[in-house]
Amino acid sequence: MILLRKLLFPFAVLYGLVTSIRNFLYDQGFLKSYSFDVPIIAVGNLSVGGTGKTPMIEYLIRMLSEQFDVATLSRGYKRQSIGFILADEKADAGTLGDEPFQIHQKFPDIQVAVDADRKNGIEQLLSQTKKPEVILLDDAFQHRKVKAGFYILLTAYGDLFCDDWMLPTGNLRESRNGASRANMIIVTKCPETIDEIARAEIRKKLKTDQPVFFTSIAYDDSVYGANSIQKVNEIKNTQKLLLAGIAKPKPFFAYLQHENDIVLTYPDHHHFSENDSNEIKKQAENKLIITTEKDYVRLRNHIPDTQLYYLPIKTSFVAEGPIFDQTLLNYVGTSTTDR
């Protein structure tokens, strides 16, 4: 696979040229970007998957919804529907996509919408009787048709965008220069023990004047099923089946895994077929099945509730969390007042 990616380097150069021309046309106004009279925060990355966008969106929801009416908008990757959809009591992972449905279930008091056309999605949200006071755009850093008021760029510790290459040789969706559009950069999935010296080294590597923050993934100390909760330290040494269909599942497995566990890995956003479900149940043999929160919303109607559990995660700031919070609150508060 590595050799193939190197052989495809000429295509990476071509892909980089195409995306650079597209960005140039937007920067110069030849392609139109649309602004809206509402604070819009776009969360995204330069690379393909695995930077922790959903935990960051959830962090922003928790922080902002205490003071503002919040809405989220994403394209609803791999959903089985088209056009604009606003989540309601009939919504499921098929109509919204796994991540938006996960957010809808966790935060029923906010508006959760999907639309591949972000401009239309924002217009539809603003036409609702209850207009949102702030809109969070999930995975929209390259969606230049909409001009957000604030851009948060995520890059994963150990897989920084400055060390990567363009697709298909690497995993970058656009040139590293695209980072200049961000208002701030967050290095995600850091070790909780990362010190100031290591953080300074990363800032130096990124070669940016923008504020750089550092976060880690905080795993819950319990796993959750439809009708019960179990402590991780009580089940870790029992034989179970661990299952993940996410971009980078190793930390999830490492947190839960015992040497006798069965481990199943699927592609990111995998659609679990009936055959998949039957195979999972066969391998589990009535053992506990523990999966990610994103996979749980797609599996829960196919696996018995008595077996299926998920492990929640949260974004946790290693340092300067209050500064990050105040920066975002200042942006949204000022923008709302200006309106």
Side-chain angles (χ1 to χ4, degrees), residues 216-250:
S216 62
I217 292 296
Y219 290 99
D220 204 298
D221 61 1
S222 298
V223 294
Y224 297 77
N227 303 306
S228 63
I229 301 171
Q230 300 205 41
K231 291 290 185 181
V232 170
N233 60 5
E234 294 175 357
I235 64 169
K236 189 165 185 177
N237 294 329
T238 62
Q239 191 175 13
K240 53 195 173 294
L241 186 147
L242 303 178
L243 182 158
I246 57 177
K248 297 175 181 177
K250 286 185 179 180

Side-chain angles (χ1 to χ4, degrees), residues 310-337:
Y310 67 88
L311 175 71
I313 62 173
K314 288 184 180 180
T315 286
S316 175
F317 278 80
V318 174
E320 301 177 330
I323 297 175
F324 171 86
D325 291 358
Q326 196 58 55
T327 301
L328 271 294
L329 289 169
N330 288 345
Y331 160 68
V332 176
T334 302
S335 300
T336 305
T337 302

Side-chain angles (χ1 to χ4, degrees), residues 48-292:
V48 178
T51 57
K53 293 184 295 295
T54 300
M56 177 52 60
I57 289 288
E58 292 183 357
Y59 181 95
L60 292 172
I61 293 170
R62 292 187 184 95
M63 188 254 293
L64 294 171
S65 61
E66 294 181 1
Q67 299 184 34
F68 305 99
D69 290 329
V70 177
T72 67
L73 177 65
S74 65
R75 62 173 170 161
Y77 184 62
K78 286 195 174 181
R79 61 186 170 119
Q80 300 165 1
S81 59
I82 58 174
F84 175 82
I85 294 180
L86 183 63
D88 57 19
E89 65 278 0
K90 297 179 182 178
D92 58 25
T95 57
L96 295 179
D98 49 17
E99 290 166 340
F101 183 57
Q102 172 185 319
I103 291 171
H104 173 56
Q105 288 197 309
K106 292 178 75 170
F107 305 98
D109 294 331
I110 74 163
Q111 293 172 297
V112 176
V114 294
D115 197 335
D117 183 343
R118 303 304 210 290
K119 174 179 176 290
N120 180 69
I122 294 170
E123 291 171 344
Q124 293 293 329
L125 281 169
L126 296 179
S127 71
Q128 303 297 313
T129 302
K130 181 183 177 182
K131 295 182 180 180
E133 294 179 303
V134 55
I135 298 175
L136 307 178
L137 296 184
D138 183 14
D139 197 13
F141 199 78
Q142 285 77 34
H143 199 89
R144 301 293 305 273
K145 189 176 180 180
V146 168
K147 183 173 176 57
F150 201 97
Y151 287 91
I152 300 175
L153 179 66
L154 308 183
T155 187
Y157 175 86
D159 192 18
L160 302 173
F161 66 79
C162 58
D163 297 329
D164 208 345
W165 295 90
M166 295 290 299
L167 288 165
T169 297
N171 292 313
L172 294 185
R173 298 171 171 178
E174 62 172 299
S175 164
R176 305 166 192 170
N177 296 331
S180 63
R181 299 197 305 275
N183 294 88
M184 63 170 57
I185 297 171
I186 299 181
V187 182
T188 62
K189 302 184 178 182
C190 298
E192 294 180 3
T193 56
I194 186 172
D195 58 24
E196 177 53 38
I197 295 175
R199 299 199 298 269
E201 285 296 318
I202 291 175
R203 288 189 182 98
K204 184 177 179 181
K205 287 186 68 175
L206 292 175
K207 298 179 181 179
T208 180
D209 295 327
Q210 296 130 304
V212 180
F213 294 89
F214 297 82
T215 65
S216 62
I217 292 296
Y219 290 99
D220 204 298
D221 61 1
S222 298
V223 294
Y224 297 77
N227 303 306
S228 63
I229 301 171
Q230 300 205 41
K231 291 290 185 181
V232 170
N233 60 5
E234 294 175 357
I235 64 169
K236 189 165 185 177
N237 294 329
T238 62
Q239 191 175 13
K240 53 195 173 294
L241 186 147
L242 303 178
L243 182 158
I246 57 177
K248 297 175 181 177
K250 286 185 179 180
F252 166 78
F253 291 138
Y255 182 74
L256 294 167
Q257 190 170 358
H258 183 264
E259 59 183 0
N260 293 323
D261 288 344
I262 301 167
V263 176
L264 299 180
T265 304
Y266 294 87
D268 196 15
H269 298 280
H270 180 69
H271 173 71
F272 292 97
S273 66
E274 184 177 352
N275 286 338
D276 290 331
S277 302
N278 290 335
E279 180 62 25
I280 292 167
K281 288 183 284 188
K282 180 180 177 181
Q283 292 212 41
E285 294 181 339
N286 297 319
K287 301 180 183 70
L288 289 183
I289 300 170
I290 303 176
T291 188
T292 69

